[in-house]
Amino acid sequence: MTQDLRTELTNMVGPVEWHNLLPHAARDNLVIVNPGLDLVDVGLAIAGDNVTAVNRWIREALVTKPTAEQLTEWDRDRSRQFQALIVQPYVLIQDPALGSSGPPV
């Protein structure tokens, strides 16, 4: 991947409130990235079609789709903040509340 794409994706990462993610959730385009991974690295892997890395993260449950329980929980607080990165057709999100260690494995 080029440094230009890394820079572009880095500049696109930013906070977003849950209510702004609702349309993407309705289209099943949300992807949760474990806080232990770098959001830009995951975006680069998806944009670059790095199937090996993406499949490994999926197998290790480091990149997942939101569960019904998560969606319900987030819907209770529509102002909840996430870090987000759009890599069409997906919106990659991280929950800063989980910290860098992420959920217990």
Side-chain angles (χ1 to χ4, degrees):
M1 283 286 117
T2 67
Q3 185 62 33
D4 290 342
L5 181 56
R6 175 175 288 283
T7 300
E8 182 180 344
L9 292 179
T10 299
N11 291 334
M12 292 172 52
V13 173
V16 64
E17 291 185 350
W18 173 245
H19 68 90
N20 292 315
L21 293 170
L22 287 170
H24 304 288
R27 289 191 299 273
D28 194 32
N29 289 346
L30 288 183
V31 175
I32 302 170
V33 177
N34 182 285
L37 294 177
D38 182 274
L39 203 54
V40 172
D41 287 343
V42 176
L44 282 169
I46 291 171
D49 202 26
N50 186 338
V51 176
T52 303
V54 173
N55 280 339
R56 183 181 73 244
W57 293 328
I58 290 170
R59 274 192 319 275
E60 295 173 4
L62 298 172
V63 172
T64 61
K65 291 287 198 161
T67 65
E69 293 80 16
Q70 286 172 311
L71 294 172
T72 300
E73 176 189 337
W74 298 338
D75 216 34
R76 289 187 195 115
D77 177 8
R78 291 188 175 206
S79 65
R80 184 177 184 144
Q81 293 271 324
F82 294 86
Q83 285 296 313
L85 172 62
I86 298 171
V87 180
Q88 291 291 341
Y90 305 108
V91 178
L92 310 178
I93 62 170
Q94 283 181 320
D95 187 347
L98 293 177
S100 62
S101 62
V105 179

XYZ file of all heavy atoms in Angstrom:
818
model
N 0.836 -1.182 0.000
C 0.000 0.000 0.000
C 0.878 1.241 0.000
O 1.944 1.263 0.592
C -0.882 0.028 1.256
C -2.062 -0.907 1.200
S -3.351 -0.308 0.114
C -3.338 -1.603 -1.093
N 0.381 2.244 -0.605
C 1.152 3.469 -0.689
C 1.013 4.292 0.592
O 0.012 4.200 1.305
C 0.688 4.324 -1.875
O -0.638 4.774 -1.620
C 0.734 3.543 -3.177
N 2.029 5.099 0.840
C 1.997 5.993 1.991
C 0.862 7.001 1.840
O 0.267 7.427 2.827
C 3.346 6.707 2.141
C 3.442 7.560 3.391
C 3.299 6.755 4.679
O 3.714 5.603 4.763
N 2.700 7.362 5.682
N 0.555 7.378 0.590
C -0.530 8.333 0.350
C -1.862 7.791 0.848
O -2.642 8.523 1.452
C -0.642 8.671 -1.136
C 0.518 9.511 -1.631
O 1.232 10.113 -0.795
O 0.716 9.563 -2.862
N -2.124 6.509 0.597
C -3.380 5.920 1.056
C -3.403 5.858 2.577
O -4.419 6.152 3.205
C -3.595 4.533 0.450
C -4.895 3.831 0.855
C -6.121 4.694 0.522
C -5.005 2.474 0.176
N -2.294 5.487 3.189
C -2.224 5.456 4.662
C -2.527 6.842 5.223
O -3.296 6.991 6.156
C -0.864 4.966 5.146
C -0.726 5.044 6.669
C 0.557 4.445 7.173
N 0.578 3.005 7.089
C -0.058 2.179 7.932
N -0.749 2.673 8.936
N 0.028 0.880 7.784
N -1.925 7.858 4.637
C -2.156 9.228 5.099
C -3.610 9.628 4.911
O -4.222 10.210 5.803
C -1.232 10.213 4.342
O 0.125 9.839 4.597
C -1.460 11.642 4.787
N -4.178 9.282 3.766
C -5.579 9.606 3.492
C -6.503 8.927 4.505
O -7.400 9.567 5.056
C -5.944 9.182 2.067
C -7.365 9.520 1.684
C -7.714 9.084 0.267
O -6.797 8.797 -0.538
O -8.914 9.029 -0.025
N -6.287 7.646 4.752
C -7.134 6.932 5.707
C -6.943 7.473 7.124
O -7.913 7.613 7.871
C -6.844 5.429 5.659
C -7.256 4.707 4.381
C -6.888 3.231 4.459
C -8.745 4.864 4.086
N -5.701 7.775 7.485
C -5.434 8.338 8.816
C -6.218 9.626 9.010
O -6.800 9.862 10.080
C -3.928 8.583 9.003
O -3.251 7.323 8.901
C -3.627 9.212 10.355
N -6.254 10.452 7.989
C -6.974 11.719 8.071
C -8.491 11.535 8.107
O -9.216 12.450 8.495
C -6.580 12.638 6.917
C -5.155 13.127 7.036
O -4.604 13.213 8.128
N -4.540 13.438 5.906
N -8.966 10.374 7.684
C -10.406 10.107 7.668
C -10.920 9.533 8.991
O -12.127 9.472 9.206
C -10.750 9.149 6.515
C -10.567 9.771 5.154
S -10.743 8.582 3.785
C -12.299 7.801 4.137
N -10.041 9.068 9.856
C -10.459 8.499 11.139
C -10.956 9.627 12.028
O -10.333 10.677 12.133
C -9.298 7.762 11.834
C -9.691 7.324 13.240
C -8.854 6.566 11.008
N -12.089 9.388 12.651
C -12.597 10.408 13.552
C -13.744 9.901 14.396
O -14.274 8.815 14.169
N -14.115 10.695 15.381
C -15.212 10.304 16.261
C -16.557 10.453 15.565
O -16.734 11.331 14.711
C -15.086 11.292 17.426
C -14.439 12.492 16.838
C -13.539 11.987 15.749
N -17.450 9.575 15.929
C -18.815 9.630 15.405
C -19.753 9.115 16.490
O -19.404 8.201 17.239
C -18.946 8.818 14.092
C -18.695 7.344 14.310
C -20.298 9.037 13.431
N -20.915 9.731 16.575
C -21.913 9.283 17.551
C -22.745 8.155 16.949
O -22.950 8.098 15.731
C -22.806 10.449 17.969
C -22.069 11.478 18.790
C -22.961 12.584 19.305
O -24.137 12.689 18.883
O -22.477 13.356 20.153
N -23.247 7.295 17.825
C -23.999 6.124 17.397
C -25.147 6.494 16.471
O -25.385 5.824 15.464
C -24.510 5.332 18.599
C -25.426 4.235 18.185
C -26.754 4.115 18.480
C -25.113 3.109 17.362
N -27.285 2.989 17.890
C -26.283 2.360 17.192
C -23.960 2.670 16.731
C -26.333 1.192 16.436
C -24.007 1.507 15.982
C -25.179 0.782 15.844
N -25.868 7.575 16.767
C -27.039 7.899 15.935
C -26.641 8.137 14.481
O -27.438 7.888 13.575
C -27.831 9.088 16.507
C -27.123 10.403 16.446
N -27.238 11.252 15.366
C -26.293 11.010 17.320
C -26.505 12.331 15.581
N -25.915 12.210 16.770
N -25.403 8.570 14.229
C -24.940 8.748 12.852
C -24.571 7.430 12.180
O -24.447 7.379 10.956
C -23.744 9.696 12.814
C -24.131 11.103 13.175
O -25.135 11.626 12.716
N -23.345 11.727 14.034
N -24.385 6.399 12.974
C -24.037 5.081 12.426
C -25.264 4.217 12.147
O -25.144 3.174 11.510
C -23.096 4.353 13.391
C -21.711 4.969 13.555
C -20.970 4.309 14.713
C -20.918 4.878 12.268
N -26.423 4.636 12.622
C -27.637 3.831 12.466
C -27.923 3.429 11.016
O -28.249 2.261 10.769
C -28.841 4.547 13.083
C -28.854 4.571 14.612
C -29.945 5.520 15.122
C -29.066 3.175 15.160
N -27.822 4.333 10.044
C -28.091 3.908 8.659
C -27.127 2.819 8.182
O -27.523 1.914 7.445
C -27.916 5.187 7.837
C -28.062 6.307 8.811
C -27.572 5.774 10.128
N -25.900 2.891 8.622
C -24.907 1.879 8.229
C -25.213 0.545 8.913
O -25.042 -0.519 8.319
C -23.500 2.355 8.563
C -23.173 3.666 7.930
N -22.942 3.821 6.581
C -23.085 4.913 8.466
C -22.703 5.093 6.307
N -22.783 5.777 7.436
N -25.663 0.615 10.161
C -26.063 -0.607 10.872
C -27.253 -1.248 10.180
O -27.306 -2.475 10.032
C -26.385 -0.284 12.324
N -28.191 -0.429 9.728
C -29.382 -0.951 9.043
C -29.005 -1.664 7.744
O -29.679 -2.616 7.343
C -30.364 0.179 8.762
N -27.935 -1.235 7.101
C -27.468 -1.871 5.854
C -26.474 -2.997 6.123
O -25.928 -3.578 5.185
C -26.830 -0.827 4.938
C -27.826 0.137 4.318
C -27.196 0.970 3.217
N -26.092 1.807 3.676
C -26.214 3.032 4.177
N -27.410 3.568 4.306
N -25.155 3.716 4.547
N -26.217 -3.280 7.405
C -25.278 -4.331 7.810
C -23.863 -4.047 7.287
O -23.136 -4.954 6.895
C -25.758 -5.708 7.355
C -25.017 -6.843 8.040
O -24.616 -6.667 9.211
O -24.818 -7.892 7.400
N -23.473 -2.772 7.304
C -22.159 -2.375 6.810
C -21.170 -2.026 7.917
O -20.066 -1.589 7.626
C -22.281 -1.174 5.865
C -22.905 -1.546 4.547
O -23.023 -2.712 4.212
N -23.333 -0.557 3.793
N -21.572 -2.192 9.171
C -20.672 -1.891 10.278
C -19.742 -3.066 10.549
O -20.173 -4.219 10.540
C -21.439 -1.592 11.561
C -22.175 -0.269 11.635
C -22.823 -0.121 13.014
C -21.253 0.897 11.364
N -18.499 -2.750 10.806
C -17.505 -3.750 11.171
C -16.798 -3.241 12.424
O -16.283 -2.131 12.438
C -16.480 -3.975 10.040
C -15.386 -4.924 10.485
C -17.173 -4.479 8.778
N -16.815 -4.057 13.471
C -16.153 -3.684 14.719
C -14.708 -4.158 14.662
O -14.435 -5.325 14.371
C -16.851 -4.331 15.932
C -18.317 -3.925 15.986
C -16.134 -3.961 17.225
C -19.118 -4.701 17.013
N -13.807 -3.238 14.950
C -12.379 -3.543 14.973
C -11.929 -3.514 16.433
O -12.123 -2.524 17.134
C -11.577 -2.516 14.131
C -10.083 -2.785 14.226
C -12.056 -2.545 12.680
N -11.348 -4.595 16.884
C -10.849 -4.679 18.248
C -9.883 -3.534 18.509
O -9.041 -3.230 17.661
C -10.154 -6.029 18.447
C -9.651 -6.228 19.844
O -8.646 -5.649 20.229
N -10.339 -7.066 20.591
N -9.973 -2.901 19.686
C -9.087 -1.781 19.993
C -7.602 -2.148 20.003
O -6.752 -1.262 19.933
C -9.530 -1.326 21.385
C -10.914 -1.827 21.532
C -10.981 -3.096 20.727
N -7.277 -3.426 20.051
C -5.888 -3.843 19.984
C -5.302 -3.735 18.584
O -4.091 -3.829 18.404
N -6.163 -3.552 17.591
C -5.710 -3.374 16.212
C -5.760 -1.895 15.855
O -6.581 -1.143 16.385
C -6.617 -4.138 15.235
C -6.617 -5.654 15.315
C -7.627 -6.229 14.324
C -5.235 -6.207 15.038
N -4.912 -1.501 14.936
C -4.926 -0.137 14.429
C -6.005 -0.025 13.350
O -6.021 -0.809 12.397
C -3.554 0.206 13.846
C -3.485 1.621 13.354
O -3.863 1.858 12.188
O -3.059 2.497 14.137
N -6.906 0.923 13.522
C -8.023 1.099 12.597
C -7.530 1.342 11.167
O -8.081 0.798 10.208
C -8.890 2.273 13.076
C -10.333 2.342 12.649
C -11.096 1.073 12.966
C -11.015 3.530 13.307
N -6.471 2.114 11.022
C -5.927 2.407 9.689
C -5.323 1.149 9.070
O -5.516 0.892 7.872
C -4.906 3.556 9.751
C -4.198 3.740 8.418
C -5.593 4.850 10.176
N -4.637 0.326 9.851
C -4.070 -0.917 9.313
C -5.171 -1.834 8.788
O -5.024 -2.448 7.730
C -3.259 -1.654 10.381
C -1.931 -0.985 10.686
O -1.471 -0.140 9.879
O -1.352 -1.294 11.750
N -6.266 -1.919 9.516
C -7.389 -2.746 9.066
C -7.995 -2.151 7.799
O -8.289 -2.877 6.842
C -8.443 -2.901 10.181
C -9.657 -3.675 9.669
C -7.832 -3.608 11.390
N -8.149 -0.842 7.771
C -8.669 -0.189 6.576
C -7.786 -0.423 5.367
O -8.275 -0.692 4.262
N -6.470 -0.346 5.559
C -5.525 -0.619 4.467
C -5.645 -2.059 3.973
O -5.614 -2.306 2.767
C -4.097 -0.355 4.927
C -3.659 1.102 4.988
C -2.326 1.216 5.713
C -3.570 1.697 3.599
N -5.793 -2.985 4.893
C -5.919 -4.399 4.508
C -7.194 -4.630 3.699
O -7.181 -5.365 2.703
C -5.899 -5.290 5.750
N -8.277 -3.994 4.114
C -9.532 -4.152 3.372
C -9.431 -3.482 2.011
O -9.785 -4.072 0.992
C -10.718 -3.605 4.201
C -10.958 -4.510 5.412
C -11.977 -3.492 3.344
C -11.945 -3.966 6.412
N -8.938 -2.253 1.981
C -8.818 -1.527 0.713
C -7.864 -2.236 -0.244
O -8.075 -2.222 -1.459
C -8.335 -0.100 0.979
N -6.816 -2.862 0.302
C -5.825 -3.551 -0.519
C -6.162 -5.001 -0.791
O -5.361 -5.726 -1.365
N -7.343 -5.436 -0.354
C -7.796 -6.818 -0.557
C -6.804 -7.830 0.007
O -6.503 -8.851 -0.614
C -8.045 -7.071 -2.047
C -8.996 -8.245 -2.272
O -9.816 -8.541 -1.379
O -8.899 -8.880 -3.344
N -6.295 -7.532 1.216
C -5.380 -8.443 1.895
C -6.204 -9.510 2.615
O -6.463 -9.437 3.815
C -4.505 -7.675 2.885
C -3.445 -8.538 3.522
O -3.561 -9.757 3.565
N -2.415 -7.907 4.054
N -6.623 -10.491 1.855
C -7.524 -11.536 2.345
C -6.899 -12.309 3.499
O -7.586 -12.657 4.461
C -7.921 -12.480 1.186
C -8.772 -13.632 1.681
C -8.644 -11.701 0.092
N -5.608 -12.560 3.433
C -4.929 -13.329 4.479
C -5.064 -12.633 5.834
O -5.462 -13.255 6.828
C -3.447 -13.533 4.126
O -3.367 -14.190 2.859
C -2.747 -14.354 5.182
N -4.730 -11.353 5.886
C -4.805 -10.613 7.155
C -6.241 -10.501 7.646
O -6.526 -10.747 8.824
C -4.195 -9.217 7.003
N -7.150 -10.142 6.745
C -8.552 -9.958 7.147
C -9.138 -11.275 7.647
O -9.803 -11.309 8.687
C -9.388 -9.357 5.993
C -10.865 -9.321 6.350
C -8.889 -7.949 5.646
N -8.882 -12.364 6.946
C -9.405 -13.666 7.392
C -8.825 -14.064 8.751
O -9.527 -14.636 9.586
C -9.128 -14.748 6.356
C -10.115 -14.710 5.216
O -11.215 -14.157 5.338
N -9.739 -15.280 4.088
N -7.542 -13.764 8.978
C -6.941 -14.076 10.278
C -7.638 -13.288 11.380
O -7.983 -13.830 12.435
C -5.435 -13.771 10.266
C -4.750 -14.158 11.578
C -3.263 -13.847 11.593
N -3.049 -12.412 11.718
C -2.472 -11.631 10.806
N -2.025 -12.136 9.685
N -2.335 -10.337 11.010
N -7.874 -11.990 11.158
C -8.557 -11.163 12.160
C -9.980 -11.651 12.409
O -10.450 -11.641 13.541
C -8.562 -9.702 11.734
C -7.218 -9.060 11.709
C -6.149 -9.346 12.535
C -6.772 -8.046 10.823
N -5.079 -8.551 12.204
C -5.428 -7.740 11.163
C -7.368 -7.351 9.777
C -4.704 -6.779 10.491
C -6.636 -6.388 9.110
C -5.319 -6.108 9.458
N -10.640 -12.093 11.359
C -12.006 -12.632 11.522
C -11.952 -13.917 12.340
O -12.734 -14.096 13.279
C -12.675 -12.851 10.149
C -12.975 -11.491 9.498
C -13.946 -13.683 10.299
C -13.425 -11.582 8.048
N -11.032 -14.827 12.009
C -10.894 -16.090 12.757
C -10.605 -15.829 14.228
O -11.083 -16.551 15.103
C -9.770 -16.953 12.177
C -10.144 -17.842 11.052
C -9.063 -18.875 10.731
N -7.701 -18.384 10.770
C -7.066 -17.778 9.761
N -7.674 -17.599 8.621
N -5.812 -17.366 9.896
N -9.792 -14.806 14.509
C -9.415 -14.483 15.884
C -10.433 -13.568 16.569
O -10.210 -13.123 17.694
C -8.023 -13.828 15.888
C -6.932 -14.773 15.423
C -5.579 -14.084 15.261
O -5.449 -12.888 15.578
O -4.639 -14.766 14.806
N -11.545 -13.295 15.880
C -12.623 -12.431 16.389
C -12.117 -11.032 16.746
O -12.625 -10.405 17.668
C -13.331 -13.080 17.566
N -11.136 -10.555 16.007
C -10.629 -9.196 16.189
C -11.356 -8.215 15.277
O -11.316 -7.010 15.488
C -9.121 -9.142 15.925
C -8.264 -9.986 16.873
C -6.820 -10.010 16.403
C -8.367 -9.451 18.289
N -11.986 -8.749 14.245
C -12.825 -7.988 13.330
C -14.143 -8.747 13.250
O -14.157 -9.916 12.855
C -12.155 -7.866 11.937
C -13.100 -7.240 10.931
C -10.866 -7.067 12.030
N -15.221 -8.091 13.677
C -16.516 -8.766 13.762
C -17.639 -7.845 13.299
O -17.453 -6.639 13.155
C -16.825 -9.191 15.214
O -16.883 -8.014 16.031
C -15.776 -10.144 15.757
N -18.787 -8.431 13.126
C -20.020 -7.671 12.917
C -20.648 -7.469 14.288
O -20.473 -8.295 15.188
C -20.996 -8.451 12.021
C -20.544 -8.576 10.592
C -20.684 -7.256 9.901
C -20.659 -7.418 8.397
N -21.219 -6.266 7.737
N -21.384 -6.372 14.474
C -22.040 -6.170 15.769
C -23.097 -7.246 16.025
O -23.777 -7.680 15.094
C -22.704 -4.801 15.644
C -22.278 -4.226 14.349
C -21.619 -5.298 13.543
N -23.202 -7.642 17.270
C -24.245 -8.591 17.657
C -25.544 -7.827 17.904
O -25.531 -6.595 18.083
C -23.864 -9.340 18.948
O -23.797 -8.377 20.017
C -22.550 -10.086 18.799
N -26.639 -8.553 17.955
C -27.929 -7.927 18.268
C -27.880 -7.265 19.637
O -28.439 -6.176 19.835
C -29.042 -8.976 18.211
N -27.179 -7.889 20.579
C -27.054 -7.327 21.925
C -26.290 -6.003 21.907
O -26.660 -5.059 22.589
C -26.378 -8.321 22.874
C -27.193 -9.570 23.161
C -27.117 -10.626 22.050
O -26.205 -10.565 21.177
O -27.984 -11.498 22.024
N -25.215 -5.957 21.144
C -24.448 -4.714 21.042
C -25.299 -3.602 20.428
O -25.304 -2.473 20.923
C -23.186 -4.919 20.206
C -22.107 -5.692 20.919
C -20.966 -6.048 20.002
O -21.169 -6.560 18.904
N -19.745 -5.785 20.446
N -25.999 -3.921 19.363
C -26.841 -2.918 18.704
C -27.901 -2.380 19.661
O -28.146 -1.173 19.712
C -27.492 -3.513 17.453
C -26.538 -3.884 16.326
C -27.266 -4.646 15.238
C -25.836 -2.661 15.761
N -28.491 -3.270 20.445
C -29.493 -2.852 21.425
C -28.876 -1.963 22.488
O -29.434 -0.920 22.849
C -30.157 -4.087 22.075
O -30.786 -4.855 21.045
C -31.174 -3.689 23.115
N -27.715 -2.352 22.988
C -27.031 -1.560 24.013
C -26.691 -0.165 23.478
O -26.914 0.843 24.144
C -25.753 -2.267 24.456
C -24.933 -1.464 25.444
C -23.568 -2.076 25.699
O -23.393 -3.286 25.488
O -22.670 -1.313 26.106
N -26.135 -0.100 22.285
C -25.743 1.183 21.712
C -26.951 2.058 21.426
O -26.869 3.273 21.508
C -24.936 0.972 20.441
C -23.649 0.229 20.658
C -22.953 0.108 21.837
C -22.913 -0.511 19.701
N -21.830 -0.656 21.652
C -21.772 -1.052 20.352
C -23.098 -0.782 18.342
C -20.829 -1.827 19.696
C -22.160 -1.554 17.690
C -21.040 -2.072 18.351
N -28.073 1.425 21.095
C -29.279 2.192 20.794
C -29.829 2.892 22.039
O -30.565 3.862 21.921
C -30.331 1.274 20.174
C -31.140 1.985 19.117
O -30.575 2.853 18.414
O -32.339 1.692 19.003
N -29.473 2.402 23.209
C -29.921 3.040 24.454
C -29.237 4.380 24.677
O -29.751 5.221 25.409
C -29.646 2.122 25.644
C -30.540 0.922 25.687
C -30.343 0.130 26.985
N -30.941 -1.166 26.852
C -30.292 -2.322 26.868
N -28.980 -2.346 27.068
N -30.926 -3.455 26.726
N -28.058 4.552 24.092
C -27.315 5.801 24.240
C -26.852 6.237 22.852
O -25.736 5.953 22.433
C -26.108 5.609 25.167
C -25.259 6.866 25.295
O -25.674 7.932 24.800
O -24.162 6.773 25.885
N -27.718 6.942 22.151
C -27.435 7.308 20.769
C -26.319 8.336 20.643
O -25.859 8.603 19.547
C -28.705 7.788 20.080
C -29.666 6.640 19.876
C -30.827 7.020 19.053
N -31.642 5.835 18.802
C -32.417 5.706 17.766
N -32.522 6.678 16.894
N -33.119 4.606 17.610
N -25.880 8.906 21.758
C -24.760 9.856 21.690
C -23.425 9.161 21.982
O -22.383 9.812 22.006
C -24.979 11.007 22.672
O -24.959 10.536 23.998
N -23.451 7.856 22.173
C -22.223 7.097 22.426
C -21.235 7.325 21.288
O -21.598 7.300 20.116
C -22.552 5.618 22.548
C -21.364 4.766 22.905
C -21.780 3.333 23.075
N -20.665 2.531 23.497
C -20.766 1.525 24.344
N -21.940 1.204 24.846
N -19.723 0.825 24.670
N -19.979 7.536 21.641
C -18.938 7.860 20.659
C -18.146 6.627 20.245
O -17.819 5.780 21.077
C -17.962 8.869 21.259
C -18.550 10.226 21.525
C -18.426 11.141 20.327
O -17.447 11.105 19.605
N -19.427 11.963 20.119
N -17.814 6.574 18.975
C -16.940 5.556 18.404
C -15.901 6.261 17.553
O -16.130 7.370 17.074
C -17.730 4.603 17.500
C -18.740 3.772 18.228
C -20.019 4.255 18.473
C -18.419 2.496 18.668
C -20.950 3.492 19.149
C -19.342 1.729 19.343
C -20.604 2.228 19.585
N -14.776 5.613 17.322
C -13.841 6.044 16.294
C -14.256 5.307 15.035
O -14.568 4.105 15.078
C -12.392 5.691 16.664
C -11.803 6.577 17.730
C -11.696 8.023 17.252
O -11.232 8.315 16.160
N -12.149 8.927 18.100
N -14.296 5.992 13.916
C -14.794 5.373 12.695
C -13.904 5.696 11.507
O -13.220 6.725 11.469
C -16.213 5.857 12.411
N -13.931 4.777 10.545
C -13.219 4.936 9.287
C -14.065 4.289 8.201
O -14.446 3.123 8.321
C -11.844 4.260 9.358
C -11.056 4.182 8.051
C -10.728 5.580 7.523
C -9.794 3.359 8.231
N -14.355 5.034 7.164
C -15.128 4.491 6.044
C -14.169 3.917 5.020
O -13.264 4.607 4.536
C -16.001 5.578 5.393
C -17.017 6.113 6.403
C -16.698 5.032 4.147
C -17.787 7.323 5.926
N -14.371 2.636 4.717
C -13.674 1.955 3.634
C -14.777 1.234 2.873
O -15.209 0.158 3.275
C -12.602 0.965 4.155
C -11.903 0.275 2.993
C -11.587 1.680 5.031
N -15.261 1.890 1.844
C -16.442 1.410 1.131
C -16.368 -0.073 0.829
O -15.322 -0.542 0.404
C -16.630 2.184 -0.185
C -17.009 3.616 0.011
C -18.410 3.799 0.559
O -19.255 2.915 0.485
N -18.664 4.948 1.127
N -17.418 -0.819 1.075
C -18.740 -0.379 1.517
C -18.902 -0.397 3.039
O -20.008 -0.264 3.545
C -19.668 -1.418 0.883
C -18.868 -2.690 0.957
C -17.428 -2.248 0.719
N -17.806 -0.555 3.762
C -17.886 -0.743 5.210
C -17.596 0.538 5.985
O -16.906 1.427 5.499
C -16.897 -1.829 5.658
C -17.092 -3.123 4.938
C -16.178 -3.560 3.983
C -18.212 -3.914 5.181
C -16.368 -4.743 3.302
C -18.410 -5.100 4.501
C -17.490 -5.499 3.564
O -17.681 -6.666 2.879
N -18.099 0.549 7.199
C -17.720 1.566 8.172
C -17.073 0.801 9.321
O -17.736 0.008 10.004
C -18.922 2.392 8.666
C -18.472 3.398 9.709
C -19.606 3.098 7.502
N -15.776 0.993 9.477
C -15.030 0.334 10.540
C -15.171 1.177 11.796
O -15.008 2.401 11.743
C -13.554 0.216 10.167
C -13.240 -0.368 8.790
C -11.740 -0.382 8.555
C -13.833 -1.744 8.637
N -15.488 0.537 12.916
C -15.656 1.281 14.162
C -14.872 0.625 15.283
O -14.650 -0.588 15.284
C -17.141 1.428 14.579
C -17.791 0.063 14.852
C -17.920 2.210 13.541
C -19.176 0.143 15.488
N -14.440 1.468 16.217
C -13.826 1.004 17.459
C -14.519 1.725 18.596
O -14.850 2.906 18.480
C -12.333 1.313 17.509
C -11.504 0.390 16.672
C -10.026 0.713 16.756
O -9.646 1.867 16.775
N -9.199 -0.318 16.777
N -14.688 1.021 19.692
C -15.307 1.580 20.875
C -14.198 2.038 21.813
O -13.532 1.218 22.433
C -16.177 0.530 21.556
C -16.995 1.076 22.698
O -16.723 2.213 23.133
O -17.902 0.367 23.157
N -13.965 3.348 21.907
C -12.889 3.847 22.775
C -13.088 3.468 24.242
O -12.127 3.410 24.997
C -12.944 5.363 22.608
C -13.791 5.623 21.427
C -14.652 4.421 21.228
N -14.307 3.173 24.635
C -14.584 2.802 26.025
C -13.912 1.486 26.396
O -13.688 1.211 27.569
C -16.089 2.708 26.259
N -13.567 0.672 25.385
C -12.934 -0.617 25.667
C -11.445 -0.485 25.926
O -10.821 -1.414 26.409
C -13.162 -1.587 24.490
C -14.598 -2.025 24.275
C -14.690 -2.917 23.056
C -15.161 -2.717 25.493
N -10.855 0.650 25.578
C -9.423 0.833 25.800
C -8.609 0.024 24.821
O -9.136 -0.631 23.941
N -7.307 0.046 24.990
C -6.431 -0.626 24.033
C -6.402 -2.138 24.194
O -5.979 -2.840 23.296
C -5.017 -0.073 24.130
O -4.513 -0.318 25.416
N -6.837 -2.628 25.308
C -6.772 -4.078 25.512
C -7.955 -4.810 24.884
O -7.876 -5.981 24.588
C -6.714 -4.399 26.996
O -7.884 -3.949 27.638
N -9.064 -4.115 24.693
C -10.245 -4.742 24.112
C -10.927 -5.650 25.110
O -10.526 -5.739 26.269
N -11.958 -6.352 24.648
C -12.680 -7.241 25.542
C -11.838 -8.460 25.897
O -10.927 -8.819 25.165
C -13.917 -7.633 24.719
C -13.516 -7.439 23.303
C -12.481 -6.351 23.302
N -12.139 -9.114 26.997
C -11.392 -10.324 27.357
C -11.541 -11.383 26.281
O -12.597 -11.529 25.691
C -12.044 -10.789 28.668
C -13.008 -9.740 29.059
C -13.177 -8.784 27.937
N -10.466 -12.102 26.034
C -10.497 -13.142 24.996
C -10.547 -14.492 25.629
O -10.009 -14.764 26.631
C -9.260 -13.017 24.070
C -9.276 -14.090 23.013
C -9.206 -11.649 23.454
